[in-house]
Amino acid sequence: MGILLKVEKFNAGYTLKSATVHAVRDVSFELKEKEFLGIAGESGCGKSTLAFGITRMLQPPGRIFSGKVEFEGKDLLSMSEEELRKARWKDFSIVFQASMNVLNPVMKVKDQIFDAITYHTDEYNGRLEERAKELLSLVNISEKYLNAYPHQLSGGMKQRVVIAMALALNPKMIIMDEPTTALDVVVQKKILQEIDELRRKFGFSIIFITHDLSLLVEISDTIAIMYAGEIVEKAPSKTLYKQPLHPYTHGLMNSFPPLVGQRQRLHGIAGHPPDLSREIKGCPFYERCTKRIEGVCDRKAPKLVEIEPYHEVACHLYDKEIERDKVGERDANRTD
Ligand SMILES: Nc1ncnc2c1ncn2[C@@H]1O[C@H](COP(=O)(O)OP(=O)(O)OP(=O)(O)O)[C@@H](O)[C@H]1O
Ligand code: SF4
Ligand SMILES: [Mg+2]
């Protein structure tokens, strides 16, 4: 499968009068055609800033500081507004956090779908109603709701309408930023399964952002874990579930019940993430990490490196150079 999206050393955040918030720090990843990439991390770790940033939808005081974003080899960061308008929805679309609230309360569902389509293309002119019906049926909503107003729909149905709109122009990639968080867990899982079926049917790629790692493990191909603006671990979903390497991923795994086997006591992660407006010296997880190496983790920032095929982690516990230094130190201190 080819590479659809390539993000390299991407830095973005917020320039305020009082400080600069470095919300996304040196993030690099690739998304393949048809891949389902899940991105998980606690609130405030920069997931939305990343989603808005790489699609050039970050509004002031938000700002892209540096980096490279390529979609099918095209440089997204240097595209003109007109090129971007065409690319959005046709090449990629985005479903925002709490996006069901973006539906206009005084407009019928069908008019909102028509508007969304005609703003981006004239391809469906003359058969807009037919396309709107097709889209609603894809997300399992009866066509009779075309004439409904948003308040006549449940939360789950509104979210489905927004997802239908994101599918309208058959994009190659859909970014979903916590699209189901406002819904109850059963509805969330059902909608996620339906999205995955649509992905398999139409062959688009998905970046699914959530703070709930348990939602992702069964459905994603790949999972990236974000902490304090960085990707700290990335692996195929099964590998990450069976063999998480980063202490933060361990912590997240212990925060939700196991998929199979006996019930276990759940543990949250003690402490708080660092202030992203301050310089972070060393590992951003240092203050909360039970495995930290004093004198190393507080001084040197770990880099994201591939530990085994397709499994990347940013942690000094897996840093061969540091292991060598420690052995060197031990040898130097030996008296026998
Ligand atoms: N408009 C803003 N101005 C200043 N700082 C902001 C702004 N929006 C976000 N931030 C800060 O940037 C950091 C990342 O925020 P972001 O919304 O990207 O996190 P998130 O992972 O999406 O969180 P959540 O799970 O709560 O949606 C946080 O520290 C946040 O306080
Ligand atoms: S680098 Fe050190 S502090 Fe950071 S996660 Fe690894 S062991 Fe913990
Ligand atoms: Mg967010």
Side-chain angles (χ1 to χ4, degrees):
M1 279 184 286
I3 304 292
L4 193 62
L5 176 78
K6 195 169 174 184
V7 177
E8 262 182 278
K9 291 192 171 296
F10 189 75
N11 286 277
Y14 304 88
T15 309
L16 312 173
K17 274 198 188 116
S18 53
T20 300
V21 182
H22 293 273
V24 175
R25 301 187 302 127
D26 258 348
V27 165
S28 300
F29 68 91
E30 288 179 348
L31 178 75
K32 294 192 204 78
E33 286 165 359
K34 303 181 186 174
E35 184 176 5
F36 190 129
L37 168 68
I39 300 182
E42 285 166 305
S43 181
C45 72
K47 304 180 297 293
S48 296
T49 310
L50 177 65
F52 280 106
I54 60 176
T55 50
R56 294 256 313 266
M57 293 175 101
L58 201 55
Q59 298 297 325
R63 210 158 61 82
I64 295 169
F65 300 135
S66 60
K68 207 168 164 189
V69 182
E70 280 182 3
F71 186 86
E72 290 188 314
K74 285 173 286 183
D75 180 0
L76 258 178
L77 300 189
S78 66
M79 272 185 192
S80 68
E81 281 303 320
E82 182 54 22
E83 285 171 319
L84 261 182
R85 191 177 68 87
K86 283 190 187 140
R88 278 192 202 124
W89 287 56
K90 214 167 165 50
D91 280 345
F92 57 86
S93 60
I94 174 159
V95 178
F96 300 109
Q97 205 162 354
S99 57
M100 56 199 192
N101 302 328
V102 303
L103 291 175
N104 186 334
V106 295
M107 259 175 101
K108 284 183 180 173
V109 165
K110 73 171 177 190
D111 293 325
Q112 306 203 38
I113 299 180
F114 292 174
D115 273 7
I117 298 175
T118 51
Y119 181 71
H120 295 275
T121 183
D122 49 17
E123 192 182 328
Y124 294 98
N125 286 2
R127 58 181 203 95
L128 280 171
E129 178 116 10
E130 193 190 322
R131 180 63 181 152
K133 280 182 192 165
E134 272 167 22
L135 289 169
L136 283 195
S137 100
L138 286 178
V139 293
N140 297 320
I141 294 187
S142 156
E143 62 181 55
K144 70 178 186 204
Y145 287 101
L146 276 179
N147 285 310
Y149 288 93
H151 74 268
Q152 294 169 300
L153 309 179
S154 69
M157 286 165 85
K158 278 192 263 189
Q159 194 58 64
R160 285 192 162 91
V161 169
V162 175
I163 293 167
M165 286 158 80
L167 293 167
L169 306 191
N170 297 314
K172 295 168 195 152
M173 171 178 86
I174 304 185
I175 299 183
M176 297 190 168
D177 183 6
E178 310 236 21
T180 58
T181 312
L183 308 171
D184 76 61
V185 179
V186 178
V187 180
Q188 280 193 44
K189 287 215 159 159
K190 191 159 186 307
I191 294 186
L192 191 54
Q193 272 156 5
E194 289 171 13
I195 292 169
D196 195 43
E197 279 162 27
L198 291 170
R199 168 182 73 115
R200 286 169 198 281
K201 187 169 171 188
F202 294 107
F204 53 81
S205 308
I206 296 183
I207 298 181
F208 193 94
I209 291 171
T210 177
H211 61 269
D212 185 356
L213 179 55
S214 70
L215 261 186
L216 295 177
V217 285
E218 283 170 278
I219 220 152
S220 306
D221 297 316
T222 313
I223 297 180
I225 305 292
M226 262 187 102
Y227 184 76
E230 295 177 17
I231 290 182
V232 295
E233 185 161 7
K234 183 167 171 274
S237 181
K238 283 198 186 87
T239 311
L240 195 95
Y241 182 65
K242 283 196 196 136
Q243 202 203 343
L245 295 179
H246 197 283
Y248 177 63
T249 316
H250 271 281
L252 286 183
M253 290 286 184
N254 284 330
S255 316
F256 69 85
L259 299 178
V260 288
Q262 280 193 326
R263 280 168 169 243
Q264 287 171 10
R265 204 180 150 77
L266 302 180
H267 304 276
I269 307 169
H272 300 283
D275 179 348
L276 297 178
S277 65
R278 298 218 170 144
E279 190 196 353
I280 300 172
K281 217 172 144 212
C283 172
F285 193 55
Y286 178 78
E287 295 293 338
R288 303 169 81 183
C289 184
T290 51
K291 295 192 169 166
R292 65 190 180 196
I293 313 165
E294 308 278 346
V296 174
C297 302
D298 48 341
R299 290 188 193 161
K300 191 177 167 192
K303 289 200 183 86
L304 189 68
V305 285
E306 196 172 51
I307 298 294
E308 54 185 354
Y310 310 110
H311 195 165
E312 296 167 36
V313 65
C315 172
H316 290 312
L317 294 174
Y318 310 95
D319 189 330
K320 291 204 174 76
E321 254 175 55
I322 282 175
E323 200 44 46
R324 262 199 309 274
D325 288 351
K326 278 198 302 186
V327 171
E329 240 171 69
R330 270 203 304 272
D331 287 349
N333 292 334
R334 275 170 75 158
T335 48
D336 54 336

